[in-house]
Amino acid sequence: MNLKARLHLYEADNPRHKHWIHRFLGIYWLVIALHFFAQLGAFLFIPAYEIGTREFYLRILLFPHLFMSAFTIIAFAICRFWPRLSFHALSVCGTIISTEIIHLNGDIRIISAAMLLPIMASAIFFRPDVTWFTAGLQAVALLFLYSTDSGFRQFLNPFDLIAIPLFLLVGTLVMGIIIQNGRGIAENLETTTLDKQELMVENVLMTTMAKTDALTGLYNHMSFHEFYDKAIDFGAQGYTFHLALLDIDHFKSVNDKFGHRTGDIVLARVAQVIREAIEPTDIAARYGGEEFAVLLFEKSFEQAYAVMETVRERLAALHHEELHHKAVTISIGLRSFSRFDTKEAMFEAADDLLYQAKRAGRNRTVAAVSAKGNR
């Protein structure tokens, strides 16, 4: 769903809408409170206030503010329990508050500006139709006041009858321009965000493709050496890790007899067995052709040896339908890091152990803790 569609679909659980609705309801409470204390202050400190004490407290102070507070509470309840009616509730509540304030202060020439409050509140929905709906409510309220409130009507001159509607119209148009501009900014931001997200996904995919072997899904030769360099640094700090080199026995005969497509299937299955046997902290790579390399971390020599034996035994027991239900075996050379090892020395030692396994009859693991001891 694009931005335009989402802007016209009010989501009841949208936390952003709830936040701004509650903030504007809070502003309504503030307006009511400020008006209450302004009226009280005017009565107490303006000597020429032409109204009796009892009439002031009941007709000017108590009843109108209870009336405005009641509608604010109703609006809050509607926004909470019927969120799809929130903009109606906010607009009607703002119209009632502004109308009541104008009714009580009709002798103040600029008091009609209070009708801009609900119009401004409607802009948070980013919908021009909501703003025009609210502006229509203000027009109805203004006509109602002019028709029923003689006190308000007597303070209006012919210029006011033209200026006030134009003032509200201009205010509505300004809000409409702000909304349109805001929608344009939001749409551009959404487009930019989506473009960035697509670029990030593409970068991740390209990075993944650059680091992994397409056939097996394991890391490729280049990525293995990056991890291997880090493992050597890791070992130089006193930590133990192990390097295993694995080679599929007689793999050339598989390609020659059953075809390279079948050979690819076998390679992928071998990779899957390796992936399932190692831990997430370990690194498995297709080193080249039918040869694989595995870096094992956070394990003792015995544990690393057991993992490699698990891989070898599972593959020996796995029969491939494409090979007429025969299995393929692997030979493994396993070497543990020694503090005297260099990158090249450790790799050559593991490679030598692999060829020892080949010469000893294949389908076996030959391992060494250091250059001086074989297992």
Side-chain angles (χ1 to χ4, degrees):
M1 183 181 296
N2 59 25
L3 178 67
K4 185 176 180 180
R6 287 203 301 272
L7 287 171
H8 281 81
L9 176 61
Y10 183 81
E11 298 175 2
D13 296 325
N14 188 325
R16 180 179 176 276
H17 275 164
K18 286 184 177 181
H19 171 74
W20 284 106
I21 288 169
H22 289 166
R23 290 196 68 172
F24 263 99
L25 287 173
I27 291 173
Y28 288 172
W29 282 116
L30 179 62
V31 169
I32 294 170
L34 289 175
H35 185 263
F36 177 91
F37 288 109
Q39 290 285 5
L40 182 61
F43 179 75
L44 295 177
F45 299 109
I46 296 178
Y49 207 98
E50 298 177 356
I51 191 172
T53 301
R54 185 174 184 278
E55 183 181 6
F56 168 78
Y57 280 109
L58 291 179
R59 188 171 67 82
I60 303 299
L61 205 61
L62 182 61
F63 291 152
H65 292 90
L66 287 177
F67 178 71
M68 290 186 286
S69 298
F71 269 95
T72 306
I73 292 171
I74 292 171
F76 178 83
I78 291 173
C79 292
R80 179 168 183 176
F81 298 106
W82 297 280
R84 291 184 180 275
L85 299 177
S86 291
F87 77 87
H88 293 95
L90 203 63
S91 298
V92 172
C93 180
T95 302
I96 289 172
I97 291 173
S98 63
T99 303
E100 187 65 21
I101 290 175
I102 294 170
H103 170 67
L104 294 172
N105 304 274
D107 56 334
I108 301 176
R109 296 297 297 272
I110 64 169
I111 196 62
S112 299
M115 288 187 164
L116 282 177
L117 178 62
I119 294 175
M120 289 187 292
S122 70
I124 67 169
F125 293 95
F126 261 79
R127 289 177 50 180
D129 58 316
V130 175
T131 299
W132 283 107
F133 168 81
T134 307
L137 285 180
Q138 309 317 300
V140 171
L142 186 61
L143 286 173
F144 175 79
L145 277 173
Y146 186 79
S147 302
T148 60
D149 190 340
S150 59
F152 172 68
R153 189 166 56 247
Q154 75 178 9
F155 285 101
L156 295 180
N157 57 40
F159 176 78
D160 292 329
L161 296 177
I162 299 174
I164 293 175
L166 285 177
F167 178 75
L168 294 177
L169 177 61
V170 170
T172 304
L173 291 175
V174 170
M175 286 297 106
I177 292 171
I178 292 173
I179 289 172
Q180 291 297 334
N181 187 56
R183 286 163 64 98
I185 293 173
E187 288 172 356
N188 290 336
L189 180 61
E190 181 187 45
T191 301
T192 302
T193 302
L194 290 175
D195 289 343
K196 286 184 178 179
Q197 289 175 346
E198 290 176 1
L199 183 60
M200 289 174 62
V201 171
E202 289 176 3
N203 287 338
V204 169
L205 291 174
M206 290 178 66
T207 301
T208 302
M209 291 173 63
K211 289 182 175 293
T212 58
D213 174 65
L215 176 62
T216 62
L218 301 180
Y219 288 106
N220 58 25
H221 182 102
M222 181 177 67
S223 297
F224 166 76
H225 278 285
E226 292 177 1
F227 287 114
Y228 188 31
D229 288 337
K230 294 177 182 178
I232 292 294
D233 293 338
F234 180 76
Q237 298 174 24
Y239 299 95
T240 300
F241 74 94
H242 315 276
L243 169 64
L245 298 179
L246 304 79
D247 189 84
I248 302 175
D249 298 326
H250 303 296
F251 187 72
K252 185 177 183 300
S253 64
V254 173
N255 281 333
D256 292 343
K257 184 175 181 179
F258 299 98
H260 289 279
R261 173 58 183 160
T262 298
D264 289 345
I265 293 172
V266 171
L267 283 170
R269 287 185 184 149
V270 171
Q272 182 65 27
V273 171
I274 295 171
R275 189 184 297 109
E276 291 173 352
I278 64 175
E279 299 292 332
T281 53
D282 301 327
I283 301 295
R286 183 186 179 191
Y287 194 76
E290 68 273 19
E291 191 171 2
F292 300 86
V294 180
L295 294 169
L296 302 113
F297 301 95
E298 301 177 359
K299 295 176 179 64
S300 65
F301 173 82
E302 289 74 16
Q303 290 172 327
Y305 183 85
V307 171
M308 290 299 99
E309 278 291 275
T310 297
V311 173
R312 185 187 65 77
E313 291 170 358
R314 287 181 182 176
L315 285 170
L318 179 62
H319 297 276
H320 304 270
E321 182 180 352
E322 296 83 1
L323 304 181
H324 298 164
H325 300 283
K326 294 181 180 178
V328 294
T329 61
I330 58 171
S331 298
I332 304 172
L334 175 65
R335 178 73 159 77
S336 293
F337 178 78
S338 165
R339 63 190 181 93
F340 301 106
D341 279 334
T342 63
K343 175 183 177 181
E344 293 76 13
M346 184 177 185
F347 193 91
E348 289 175 3
D351 196 48
D352 183 62
L353 293 170
L354 170 62
Y355 279 97
Q356 288 182 39
K358 292 283 188 182
R359 288 193 295 270
R362 297 181 172 83
N363 190 25
R364 66 190 63 217
T365 301
V366 176
V369 178
S370 67
K372 296 181 179 180
N374 291 351
R375 176 169 177 172

PDB file of all heavy atoms in Angstrom, residues 166-187:
ATOM      1  N   LEU A 166     -13.683  35.343   5.482  1.00  0.00           N
ATOM      2  CA  LEU A 166     -12.463  35.328   4.668  1.00  0.00           C
ATOM      3  C   LEU A 166     -11.259  34.887   5.505  1.00  0.00           C
ATOM      4  O   LEU A 166     -10.379  34.159   5.014  1.00  0.00           O
ATOM      5  CB  LEU A 166     -12.211  36.714   4.075  1.00  0.00           C
ATOM      6  CG  LEU A 166     -13.106  37.130   2.909  1.00  0.00           C
ATOM      7  CD1 LEU A 166     -12.785  38.553   2.472  1.00  0.00           C
ATOM      8  CD2 LEU A 166     -12.927  36.157   1.729  1.00  0.00           C
ATOM      9  N   PHE A 167     -11.216  35.311   6.753  1.00  0.00           N
ATOM     10  CA  PHE A 167     -10.142  34.929   7.659  1.00  0.00           C
ATOM     11  C   PHE A 167     -10.105  33.414   7.848  1.00  0.00           C
ATOM     12  O   PHE A 167      -9.040  32.775   7.770  1.00  0.00           O
ATOM     13  CB  PHE A 167     -10.356  35.637   8.998  1.00  0.00           C
ATOM     14  CG  PHE A 167      -9.343  35.307  10.046  1.00  0.00           C
ATOM     15  CD1 PHE A 167      -8.065  35.833   9.979  1.00  0.00           C
ATOM     16  CD2 PHE A 167      -9.674  34.466  11.101  1.00  0.00           C
ATOM     17  CE1 PHE A 167      -7.122  35.528  10.952  1.00  0.00           C
ATOM     18  CE2 PHE A 167      -8.747  34.159  12.066  1.00  0.00           C
ATOM     19  CZ  PHE A 167      -7.459  34.691  12.003  1.00  0.00           C
ATOM     20  N   LEU A 168     -11.286  32.821   8.059  1.00  0.00           N
ATOM     21  CA  LEU A 168     -11.355  31.362   8.216  1.00  0.00           C
ATOM     22  C   LEU A 168     -11.011  30.646   6.917  1.00  0.00           C
ATOM     23  O   LEU A 168     -10.351  29.593   6.922  1.00  0.00           O
ATOM     24  CB  LEU A 168     -12.756  30.952   8.687  1.00  0.00           C
ATOM     25  CG  LEU A 168     -13.145  31.419  10.096  1.00  0.00           C
ATOM     26  CD1 LEU A 168     -14.579  31.005  10.396  1.00  0.00           C
ATOM     27  CD2 LEU A 168     -12.191  30.822  11.130  1.00  0.00           C
ATOM     28  N   LEU A 169     -11.445  31.200   5.778  1.00  0.00           N
ATOM     29  CA  LEU A 169     -11.150  30.587   4.479  1.00  0.00           C
ATOM     30  C   LEU A 169      -9.651  30.604   4.207  1.00  0.00           C
ATOM     31  O   LEU A 169      -9.069  29.595   3.789  1.00  0.00           O
ATOM     32  CB  LEU A 169     -11.901  31.334   3.368  1.00  0.00           C
ATOM     33  CG  LEU A 169     -11.623  30.843   1.936  1.00  0.00           C
ATOM     34  CD1 LEU A 169     -12.044  29.394   1.777  1.00  0.00           C
ATOM     35  CD2 LEU A 169     -12.344  31.736   0.925  1.00  0.00           C
ATOM     36  N   VAL A 170      -9.035  31.768   4.454  1.00  0.00           N
ATOM     37  CA  VAL A 170      -7.586  31.869   4.228  1.00  0.00           C
ATOM     38  C   VAL A 170      -6.836  30.918   5.159  1.00  0.00           C
ATOM     39  O   VAL A 170      -5.880  30.250   4.749  1.00  0.00           O
ATOM     40  CB  VAL A 170      -7.112  33.325   4.428  1.00  0.00           C
ATOM     41  CG1 VAL A 170      -5.576  33.391   4.444  1.00  0.00           C
ATOM     42  CG2 VAL A 170      -7.669  34.214   3.331  1.00  0.00           C
ATOM     43  N   GLY A 171      -7.281  30.850   6.417  1.00  0.00           N
ATOM     44  CA  GLY A 171      -6.644  29.921   7.357  1.00  0.00           C
ATOM     45  C   GLY A 171      -6.749  28.481   6.890  1.00  0.00           C
ATOM     46  O   GLY A 171      -5.803  27.696   6.990  1.00  0.00           O
ATOM     47  N   THR A 172      -7.921  28.120   6.352  1.00  0.00           N
ATOM     48  CA  THR A 172      -8.116  26.762   5.839  1.00  0.00           C
ATOM     49  C   THR A 172      -7.231  26.494   4.630  1.00  0.00           C
ATOM     50  O   THR A 172      -6.628  25.414   4.504  1.00  0.00           O
ATOM     51  CB  THR A 172      -9.593  26.548   5.468  1.00  0.00           C
ATOM     52  OG1 THR A 172     -10.418  26.833   6.603  1.00  0.00           O
ATOM     53  CG2 THR A 172      -9.837  25.116   5.012  1.00  0.00           C
ATOM     54  N   LEU A 173      -7.141  27.481   3.733  1.00  0.00           N
ATOM     55  CA  LEU A 173      -6.284  27.320   2.552  1.00  0.00           C
ATOM     56  C   LEU A 173      -4.821  27.167   2.952  1.00  0.00           C
ATOM     57  O   LEU A 173      -4.093  26.364   2.365  1.00  0.00           O
ATOM     58  CB  LEU A 173      -6.460  28.518   1.615  1.00  0.00           C
ATOM     59  CG  LEU A 173      -7.819  28.624   0.914  1.00  0.00           C
ATOM     60  CD1 LEU A 173      -7.907  29.930   0.119  1.00  0.00           C
ATOM     61  CD2 LEU A 173      -8.034  27.435  -0.031  1.00  0.00           C
ATOM     62  N   VAL A 174      -4.401  27.958   3.947  1.00  0.00           N
ATOM     63  CA  VAL A 174      -3.015  27.840   4.422  1.00  0.00           C
ATOM     64  C   VAL A 174      -2.771  26.448   4.989  1.00  0.00           C
ATOM     65  O   VAL A 174      -1.739  25.810   4.700  1.00  0.00           O
ATOM     66  CB  VAL A 174      -2.708  28.929   5.469  1.00  0.00           C
ATOM     67  CG1 VAL A 174      -1.355  28.651   6.140  1.00  0.00           C
ATOM     68  CG2 VAL A 174      -2.703  30.295   4.818  1.00  0.00           C
ATOM     69  N   MET A 175      -3.719  25.949   5.790  1.00  0.00           N
ATOM     70  CA  MET A 175      -3.580  24.597   6.323  1.00  0.00           C
ATOM     71  C   MET A 175      -3.541  23.569   5.196  1.00  0.00           C
ATOM     72  O   MET A 175      -2.799  22.587   5.251  1.00  0.00           O
ATOM     73  CB  MET A 175      -4.757  24.274   7.264  1.00  0.00           C
ATOM     74  CG  MET A 175      -4.695  24.954   8.618  1.00  0.00           C
ATOM     75  SD  MET A 175      -3.263  24.451   9.610  1.00  0.00           S
ATOM     76  CE  MET A 175      -2.249  25.925   9.459  1.00  0.00           C
ATOM     77  N   GLY A 176      -4.356  23.804   4.150  1.00  0.00           N
ATOM     78  CA  GLY A 176      -4.356  22.888   3.003  1.00  0.00           C
ATOM     79  C   GLY A 176      -3.006  22.868   2.306  1.00  0.00           C
ATOM     80  O   GLY A 176      -2.509  21.810   1.907  1.00  0.00           O
ATOM     81  N   ILE A 177      -2.405  24.055   2.148  1.00  0.00           N
ATOM     82  CA  ILE A 177      -1.077  24.134   1.517  1.00  0.00           C
ATOM     83  C   ILE A 177      -0.043  23.414   2.369  1.00  0.00           C
ATOM     84  O   ILE A 177       0.802  22.666   1.854  1.00  0.00           O
ATOM     85  CB  ILE A 177      -0.681  25.603   1.299  1.00  0.00           C
ATOM     86  CG1 ILE A 177      -1.594  26.244   0.237  1.00  0.00           C
ATOM     87  CG2 ILE A 177       0.778  25.717   0.866  1.00  0.00           C
ATOM     88  CD1 ILE A 177      -1.420  27.744   0.111  1.00  0.00           C
ATOM     89  N   ILE A 178      -0.125  23.613   3.689  1.00  0.00           N
ATOM     90  CA  ILE A 178       0.807  22.936   4.588  1.00  0.00           C
ATOM     91  C   ILE A 178       0.647  21.422   4.480  1.00  0.00           C
ATOM     92  O   ILE A 178       1.636  20.667   4.441  1.00  0.00           O
ATOM     93  CB  ILE A 178       0.591  23.414   6.040  1.00  0.00           C
ATOM     94  CG1 ILE A 178       1.003  24.879   6.175  1.00  0.00           C
ATOM     95  CG2 ILE A 178       1.363  22.541   7.021  1.00  0.00           C
ATOM     96  CD1 ILE A 178       0.673  25.489   7.525  1.00  0.00           C
ATOM     97  N   ILE A 179      -0.613  20.973   4.413  1.00  0.00           N
ATOM     98  CA  ILE A 179      -0.867  19.536   4.303  1.00  0.00           C
ATOM     99  C   ILE A 179      -0.314  18.983   2.996  1.00  0.00           C
ATOM    100  O   ILE A 179       0.360  17.943   2.968  1.00  0.00           O
ATOM    101  CB  ILE A 179      -2.378  19.253   4.412  1.00  0.00           C
ATOM    102  CG1 ILE A 179      -2.858  19.499   5.843  1.00  0.00           C
ATOM    103  CG2 ILE A 179      -2.704  17.820   3.987  1.00  0.00           C
ATOM    104  CD1 ILE A 179      -4.355  19.441   6.010  1.00  0.00           C
ATOM    105  N   GLN A 180      -0.595  19.687   1.888  1.00  0.00           N
ATOM    106  CA  GLN A 180      -0.101  19.213   0.593  1.00  0.00           C
ATOM    107  C   GLN A 180       1.416  19.175   0.566  1.00  0.00           C
ATOM    108  O   GLN A 180       2.021  18.229   0.046  1.00  0.00           O
ATOM    109  CB  GLN A 180      -0.639  20.113  -0.527  1.00  0.00           C
ATOM    110  CG  GLN A 180      -2.140  19.994  -0.772  1.00  0.00           C
ATOM    111  CD  GLN A 180      -2.536  18.602  -1.242  1.00  0.00           C
ATOM    112  OE1 GLN A 180      -1.750  17.871  -1.820  1.00  0.00           O
ATOM    113  NE2 GLN A 180      -3.792  18.234  -0.981  1.00  0.00           N
ATOM    114  N   ASN A 181       2.027  20.216   1.119  1.00  0.00           N
ATOM    115  CA  ASN A 181       3.489  20.244   1.159  1.00  0.00           C
ATOM    116  C   ASN A 181       4.032  19.116   2.038  1.00  0.00           C
ATOM    117  O   ASN A 181       5.010  18.453   1.687  1.00  0.00           O
ATOM    118  CB  ASN A 181       3.963  21.598   1.696  1.00  0.00           C
ATOM    119  CG  ASN A 181       5.472  21.750   1.613  1.00  0.00           C
ATOM    120  OD1 ASN A 181       6.063  21.622   0.551  1.00  0.00           O
ATOM    121  ND2 ASN A 181       6.096  22.025   2.742  1.00  0.00           N
ATOM    122  N   GLY A 182       3.359  18.906   3.178  1.00  0.00           N
ATOM    123  CA  GLY A 182       3.780  17.827   4.068  1.00  0.00           C
ATOM    124  C   GLY A 182       3.630  16.462   3.420  1.00  0.00           C
ATOM    125  O   GLY A 182       4.484  15.586   3.575  1.00  0.00           O
ATOM    126  N   ARG A 183       2.515  16.273   2.687  1.00  0.00           N
ATOM    127  CA  ARG A 183       2.314  15.000   1.980  1.00  0.00           C
ATOM    128  C   ARG A 183       3.391  14.795   0.929  1.00  0.00           C
ATOM    129  O   ARG A 183       3.899  13.682   0.747  1.00  0.00           O
ATOM    130  CB  ARG A 183       0.930  14.979   1.327  1.00  0.00           C
ATOM    131  CG  ARG A 183      -0.203  14.777   2.323  1.00  0.00           C
ATOM    132  CD  ARG A 183      -1.541  15.161   1.718  1.00  0.00           C
ATOM    133  NE  ARG A 183      -1.898  14.308   0.597  1.00  0.00           N
ATOM    134  CZ  ARG A 183      -2.717  13.264   0.679  1.00  0.00           C
ATOM    135  NH1 ARG A 183      -3.242  12.952   1.848  1.00  0.00           N
ATOM    136  NH2 ARG A 183      -3.012  12.547  -0.378  1.00  0.00           N
ATOM    137  N   GLY A 184       3.752  15.888   0.230  1.00  0.00           N
ATOM    138  CA  GLY A 184       4.812  15.782  -0.776  1.00  0.00           C
ATOM    139  C   GLY A 184       6.136  15.402  -0.146  1.00  0.00           C
ATOM    140  O   GLY A 184       6.864  14.540  -0.664  1.00  0.00           O
ATOM    141  N   ILE A 185       6.442  16.026   0.996  1.00  0.00           N
ATOM    142  CA  ILE A 185       7.680  15.692   1.700  1.00  0.00           C
ATOM    143  C   ILE A 185       7.645  14.240   2.170  1.00  0.00           C
ATOM    144  O   ILE A 185       8.634  13.509   2.044  1.00  0.00           O
ATOM    145  CB  ILE A 185       7.886  16.641   2.894  1.00  0.00           C
ATOM    146  CG1 ILE A 185       8.155  18.066   2.387  1.00  0.00           C
ATOM    147  CG2 ILE A 185       9.033  16.161   3.775  1.00  0.00           C
ATOM    148  CD1 ILE A 185       8.200  19.103   3.493  1.00  0.00           C
ATOM    149  N   ALA A 186       6.486  13.817   2.708  1.00  0.00           N
ATOM    150  CA  ALA A 186       6.365  12.436   3.182  1.00  0.00           C
ATOM    151  C   ALA A 186       6.508  11.437   2.041  1.00  0.00           C
ATOM    152  O   ALA A 186       7.144  10.383   2.195  1.00  0.00           O
ATOM    153  CB  ALA A 186       5.016  12.247   3.887  1.00  0.00           C
ATOM    154  N   GLU A 187       5.895  11.749   0.877  1.00  0.00           N
ATOM    155  CA  GLU A 187       6.011  10.858  -0.274  1.00  0.00           C
ATOM    156  C   GLU A 187       7.454  10.775  -0.761  1.00  0.00           C
ATOM    157  O   GLU A 187       7.946   9.685  -1.096  1.00  0.00           O
ATOM    158  CB  GLU A 187       5.085  11.330  -1.395  1.00  0.00           C
ATOM    159  CG  GLU A 187       3.604  11.093  -1.099  1.00  0.00           C
ATOM    160  CD  GLU A 187       2.693  11.738  -2.138  1.00  0.00           C
ATOM    161  OE1 GLU A 187       3.234  12.426  -3.033  1.00  0.00           O
ATOM    162  OE2 GLU A 187       1.473  11.552  -2.049  1.00  0.00           O
TER     163      GLU A 187
END
